[in-house]
Amino acid sequence: MVPAARGATDQRVIGNLPQELTSFVGRRRELSEARRLFEDSRLLTLTGVGGVGKTRLALRLAASVQRAFRDGVWLVELGEQLDPDLLADYVAATLGVRPVSSSDPLLAVITYCADRNLLLVLDSCEHLVDAVAGVAGAILRRCAGVKILATSRESLGMGGEVTMRVPSLSTPEQRDPSSFEGLAQYESVVLFAERAASVIRGFVLTEENQNAVARICQDLDGLPLPIELAAARLRGMSAEQIMSRLSDRYSLLTSGGRGVPSRQQTLRLSIDWSYDLCAPAEQQLWGKLTVFSGGFDLDAAEGVCGQDSGSTEVLDLVTALVEKSILIREETDGTVRYRLLDLLREYGREKLESTGEQFDLRRRHRDYFEDLAVRADGDWISSRQVEWIARLGRERHNVYDALEFSISTPGQARSATRMVAALYKLWVIGGLVGSARHWADRTLSVSEGDPDIYRVDVLAIDAVVHAMQGEFVRAQALVDESRRLAEAMGDVRSRALTEWADGSVDTFKGEFDAATVKLESALTMFRLGENLRHKVIALDAVGLAYLFAGSLDRAVECYHETLAITGPLHEVMYHAHAMCTLGLICWLRGDLDRASGYVAQSLRTSDIAVNSAWCVEQLAWIAAAQRDWKHAAVLLGAADMYWQKVGGQLAGFTSLLPHHDKAAERTRNALGDTAFDKEFRMGSAMTDGEAVAYARDEQRSAPAASSTEAIRLTRRELQVAELVAQGLTNRAIAEHLFISLRTAQGHVEHVLTKLGFTSRAQIAAWVVSQAHDEESQDSARSADRS
């Protein structure tokens, strides 16, 4: 399959590159050299000491070339990804690839990327060099349209790799204070001045402070991180005081005939200095905060690190560390989180280890995130489900660290089984089946023999996810072990979970009659309890088994009961899946209007990839049945994009493939090969958001907006429309365009008014249609010339 031809004029920006929070200073020579090297290589690794600015340079380089990659630029942050076995899963998740029906996440990534043109930015690879080299090599060998930009303190050591060592910022060479001239030409001085101005309003280089600033930059060897730490100290010190203290430390490094210190020594000097200037309580919190991975919010800081402090004290200390540039504060859609740069986290962890508190702190960290997972589990069938999904997604690294502690620490396995039991549906609904298998397998390996009710949950969960990926021998062995343990436990809940797992395995094996018997038994037992989640998962499983067994009336009863439970509680995921499956049943019965209604409502309810894949696929069948051939071809292409992401066509339910094949064959015959392939490529090149907008038919709700001639958007409004199409919020648009939030809101309202739309999704679909129209016009002009 050939990807859609979107040229260099394509204005869509796809990917996940973050917005720059601070100005980017200098690096013209390095950017130019890196771009030159990258033109002739598919793998460029930026190397250099910590704190030299590899990540900022890589992000700026990626942003400068992103228009050349029609399928986006994707940042994979590896600094806090510690488990090499989960590296491919993490890359897949970043790309939105959710291999539900494939047990090999790397193969799923390769399949998805094979015909795509994208850039992967692998940041902070030094602690996973071998694993990164393996993953990167496999992708590059089989995906001709993929390039990789890596940052690491050492090269990856791969064939075809080009490395570029990132130098320090340019710095005045003279050490005679009277001879500093033209300081503004030096990047390190400009960086200090710009960061100083963000700390002290109105700060500028003057005759009085320029000598001190120049000496600071010299003593810090032009390293960006130490310079930013020093500039942050202007809140409480003058430039001259900073210079004096740093120079004293620099002299210690050079005493005894040691000569000029290495950059690594200079970096350590600056962090030591920043640490020593912190108050004792700030130093203690700095060390304790290193227990977090992937950032943290204030509640977590208070819950894990603040047992002996009031919430106000923790907030004050966190604020102080932000002001000193030790912590980075980030806000997205009203959620504030904090994080430590990798180097500062490594340093703080050393200090924490010296206190002997690390074990107790990791246990408190585990307890906090175990409690979070359990609370989410109890609140799952409710209006807070989407909120919990978002929160647990943000805390992914912390949750994994908590699991790792429980698995690797003797006597803590029960916490691991409880967490896996609580997190299972999050992983499966989100398509993270590989994560479910990884943690379930590891938890079972350390919890054997424990009288633990939640081990039954993990056995049942592990059986189902192995069956989802076609590993039926292992799945059945897990079911058998679950049954033995359930009989020994003697409780209804454990027996019900085992029957649910056994019946689900039969469903994936295609033994539907046996599946319905076991799943009905599980449902009956679950009805005796008060756990709504168990009832809902059993109804979903038994409904699916009856559907494939051909007992459509009983399947409809199951899914209507699901809607009756989830609807009043405003639950989202199972509600959306029930509507999607009811749509499928209506399709099988030939009721196209009701099928379309159910599926459209499911799309409006949930944007989870697996659900969207099924919905878009069914809408393609419906469009073909209604002889809307162009629409059907585009939807088939969009569905193909989704199936590549989830690891297999129709997520492994091959009995439905005849419906797909028939729709595709009829559409191709009606359009002809050339027209079909063109529309199919358009769909397959869509992003998730574009595919959903197109499937919901929103771009056709305003015919007047079908051509660029009918709509007169200003250049700025066109920029805003494109950013809306990428899914950016008004606040993110304001930050991207360096305008106020109110101005961004005004532009969005003007776009909606001019286009006659009422939703942001309609804007997204309109942007897609404009790109398609331009492509068609370009093709027509090319045909005329030929």
Side-chain angles (χ1 to χ4, degrees):
M1 184 184 68
V2 180
R6 295 202 301 272
T9 59
D10 186 356
Q11 293 301 300
R12 289 193 298 158
V13 178
I14 302 171
N16 68 337
L17 285 186
Q19 300 299 312
E20 292 183 333
L21 299 178
T22 55
S23 59
F24 185 84
V25 174
R27 299 295 197 190
R28 289 185 180 179
R29 291 185 301 276
E30 290 85 353
L31 275 171
S32 177
E33 176 66 5
R35 291 192 67 159
R36 185 189 66 78
L37 292 172
F38 213 22
E39 286 178 0
D40 300 321
S41 171
R42 294 179 57 213
L43 171 61
L44 172 63
T45 303
L46 303 182
T47 64
V49 299
V52 79
K54 299 184 294 295
T55 297
R56 285 299 300 270
L57 180 59
L59 293 179
R60 176 52 67 102
L61 174 61
S64 72
V65 300
Q66 62 186 346
R67 298 287 185 189
F69 295 92
R70 65 170 180 267
D71 295 303
V73 177
W74 301 91
L75 171 64
V76 186
E77 297 177 290
L78 299 177
E80 292 172 300
Q81 179 64 42
L82 303 179
D83 192 335
D85 292 337
L86 285 176
L87 176 60
D89 256 325
Y90 190 43
V91 173
T94 301
L95 288 170
V97 175
R98 307 289 200 227
V100 173
S101 54
S102 168
S103 60
D104 186 344
L106 180 55
L107 178 60
V109 168
I110 291 170
T111 301
Y112 177 72
C113 292
D115 295 316
R116 284 179 164 76
N117 171 225
L118 57 85
L119 171 61
L120 282 178
V121 182
L122 306 180
D123 184 43
S124 300
C125 302
E126 52 272 354
H127 60 299
L128 295 169
V129 166
D130 291 340
V132 171
V135 169
I139 293 172
L140 291 173
R141 281 192 297 272
R142 299 177 62 181
C143 306
V146 175
K147 284 194 172 189
I148 294 178
L149 173 62
T151 72
S152 178
R153 295 178 203 173
E154 59 179 290
S155 69
L156 302 183
M158 295 173 53
E161 177 186 25
V162 173
T163 62
M164 174 180 148
R165 190 160 189 84
V166 179
S168 296
L169 298 174
S170 61
T171 303
E173 296 179 0
Q174 304 94 336
R175 299 202 60 82
D176 179 4
S178 64
S179 62
F180 292 125
E181 294 180 359
L183 287 181
Q185 68 179 298
Y186 296 105
E187 296 167 333
S188 58
V189 173
V190 175
L191 176 64
F192 184 93
E194 290 198 10
R195 297 300 182 264
S198 69
V199 173
I200 303 296
R201 185 180 295 274
F203 179 92
V204 293
L205 289 174
T206 65
E207 291 185 3
E208 289 75 23
N209 65 28
Q210 65 176 356
N211 290 344
V213 171
R215 285 292 300 275
I216 290 168
C217 295
Q218 285 178 335
D219 286 351
L220 295 178
D221 206 13
L223 291 167
L225 174 59
I227 289 171
E228 294 195 10
L229 291 174
R233 286 294 173 177
L234 286 171
R235 284 189 174 91
M237 303 168 65
S238 68
E240 289 73 16
Q241 289 173 313
I242 294 172
M243 176 201 70
S244 176
R245 298 196 181 197
L246 280 175
S247 294
D248 288 345
R249 287 180 177 262
Y250 189 94
S251 297
L252 288 175
L253 283 179
T254 58
S255 63
R258 296 175 62 185
V260 177
S262 69
R263 287 182 178 143
Q264 199 62 49
Q265 289 175 306
T266 300
L267 181 67
R268 182 74 185 200
L269 169 150
S270 70
I271 300 177
D272 280 337
W273 176 72
S274 292
Y275 183 83
D276 290 345
L277 288 177
C278 289
E282 294 168 359
Q283 294 175 343
Q284 292 170 11
L285 186 62
W286 180 347
K288 290 179 178 180
L289 291 175
T290 63
V291 76
F292 294 106
S293 292
F296 57 91
D297 58 24
L298 187 60
D299 287 344
E302 292 169 354
V304 176
C305 306
Q307 282 81 357
D308 301 325
S309 309
S311 60
T312 302
E313 183 178 352
V314 173
L315 173 60
D316 291 344
L317 291 172
V318 166
T319 302
L321 291 175
V322 170
E323 290 177 346
K324 294 175 174 65
S325 292
I326 306 303
L327 285 178
I328 297 174
R329 180 186 184 276
E330 298 173 325
E331 182 172 356
T332 304
D333 294 332
T335 300
V336 176
R337 290 179 67 77
Y338 306 90
R339 65 181 176 89
L340 285 157
L341 292 177
D342 290 343
L343 284 168
L344 301 184
R345 189 165 180 254
E346 292 170 12
Y347 182 91
R349 184 169 286 167
E350 287 181 25
K351 296 296 184 181
L352 177 66
E353 290 174 353
S354 69
T355 68
E357 296 181 76
Q358 190 176 28
F359 180 85
D360 287 341
L361 194 67
R362 289 193 67 194
R363 180 177 48 78
R364 292 202 299 270
H365 175 273
R366 189 278 314 279
D367 290 348
Y368 180 87
F369 287 101
E370 179 185 353
D371 178 69
L372 195 71
V374 170
R375 286 193 288 127
D377 185 38
D379 214 13
W380 193 253
I381 307 298
S382 76
S383 60
R384 296 192 63 201
Q385 185 187 74
V386 173
E387 177 186 337
W388 278 116
I389 290 172
R391 185 170 184 184
L392 289 171
R394 290 192 298 270
E395 301 295 1
R396 177 181 63 249
H397 287 298
N398 283 312
V399 168
Y400 288 177
D401 274 7
L403 279 166
E404 184 63 44
F405 175 82
S406 299
I407 290 169
S408 60
T409 305
Q412 302 296 315
R414 184 178 175 84
S415 288
T417 59
R418 184 66 186 97
M419 290 183 73
V420 171
L423 294 165
Y424 153 73
K425 69 276 174 193
L426 172 74
W427 286 325
V428 172
I429 284 178
L432 300 174
V433 178
S435 293
R437 281 182 51 152
H438 175 85
W439 293 112
D441 284 344
R442 291 193 60 201
T443 297
L444 291 174
S445 70
V446 298
S447 63
E448 189 172 4
D450 292 344
D452 180 0
I453 188 174
Y454 292 111
R455 182 175 168 83
V456 176
D457 294 66
V458 180
L459 286 164
I461 288 163
D462 211 17
V464 173
V465 296
H466 275 82
M468 289 174 71
Q469 299 185 333
E471 298 184 11
F472 299 120
V473 174
R474 174 61 176 159
Q476 194 59 55
L478 290 162
V479 167
D480 294 342
E481 184 180 349
S482 175
R483 192 176 302 283
R484 288 192 295 271
L485 182 56
E487 289 172 357
M489 302 288 290
D491 66 296
V492 173
R493 176 185 177 279
S494 296
R495 292 200 302 272
L497 281 167
T498 297
E499 288 291 282
W500 165 74
D502 201 2
S504 296
V505 170
D506 282 345
T507 298
F508 288 106
K509 289 164 64 177
E511 298 173 2
F512 303 121
D513 291 336
T516 57
V517 173
K518 295 170 184 176
L519 291 168
E520 284 282 18
S521 174
L523 179 58
T524 299
M525 286 186 277
F526 280 139
R527 290 189 192 280
L528 300 175
E530 299 298 323
N531 191 315
L532 284 180
R533 178 172 61 84
H534 285 157
K535 294 178 188 177
V536 170
I537 65 169
L539 284 166
D540 179 61
V542 75
L544 198 64
Y546 275 118
L547 185 157
F548 288 113
S551 301
L552 300 186
D553 289 342
R554 178 62 183 130
V556 168
E557 290 175 3
C558 292
Y559 288 112
H560 277 307
E561 186 176 352
T562 298
L563 295 180
I565 294 172
T566 58
L569 297 174
H570 304 288
E571 187 272 345
V572 170
M573 301 306 164
Y574 288 105
H575 193 84
H577 183 250
M579 287 187 293
C580 179
T581 312
L582 286 168
L584 177 59
I585 293 170
C586 290
W587 158 261
L588 294 172
R589 287 175 163 172
D591 190 344
L592 301 187
D593 289 340
R594 292 188 68 196
S596 181
Y598 274 125
V599 173
Q601 183 62 32
S602 180
L603 270 179
R604 285 192 289 271
T605 303
S606 167
D607 61 357
I608 293 296
V610 177
N611 186 71
S612 296
W614 275 112
C615 289
V616 172
E617 178 73 36
Q618 289 180 58
L619 288 173
W621 301 351
I622 293 169
Q626 294 173 335
R627 300 176 180 273
D628 189 352
W629 306 119
K630 178 179 176 180
H631 199 50
V634 175
L635 289 170
L636 285 166
D640 184 71
M641 173 272 293
Y642 275 119
W643 295 128
Q644 289 183 40
K645 285 189 172 185
V646 301
Q649 195 170 50
L650 303 191
F653 290 107
T654 55
S655 62
L656 293 174
L657 274 173
H659 299 292
H660 168 88
D661 293 342
K662 182 179 179 181
E665 182 181 7
R666 291 184 65 205
T667 304
R668 181 180 287 277
N669 288 339
L671 290 175
D673 289 346
T674 301
F676 176 86
D677 290 342
K678 175 184 174 183
E679 302 303 333
F680 186 93
R681 287 197 299 266
M682 176 187 171
S684 66
M686 288 178 174
T687 64
D688 292 17
E690 291 165 352
V692 169
Y694 185 89
R696 289 170 57 181
D697 211 16
E698 291 179 340
Q699 84 285 7
R700 301 199 293 181
S701 63
S706 62
S707 73
T708 53
E709 294 180 0
I711 300 300
R712 299 294 183 185
L713 297 185
T714 66
R715 182 173 179 274
R716 176 63 87 187
E717 287 166 350
L718 282 170
Q719 287 179 311
V720 169
E722 289 155 6
L723 294 173
V724 168
Q726 295 168 35
L728 271 65
T729 64
N730 287 347
R731 184 177 299 280
I733 290 171
E735 292 173 353
H736 184 85
L737 297 177
F738 300 101
I739 58 179
S740 70
L741 175 59
R742 179 172 297 180
T743 300
Q745 291 169 336
H747 283 314
V748 172
E749 290 300 321
H750 290 157
V751 171
L752 288 168
T753 300
K754 286 186 176 183
L755 296 177
F757 292 159
T758 58
S759 75
R760 299 169 79 91
Q762 288 175 294
I763 295 176
W766 180 81
V767 170
V768 175
S769 70
Q770 296 307 300
H772 183 52
D773 289 347
E774 290 178 8
E775 177 193 340
S776 299
Q777 292 167 13
D778 290 342
S779 298
R781 284 192 289 268
S782 297
D784 290 343
R785 286 193 295 269
S786 62

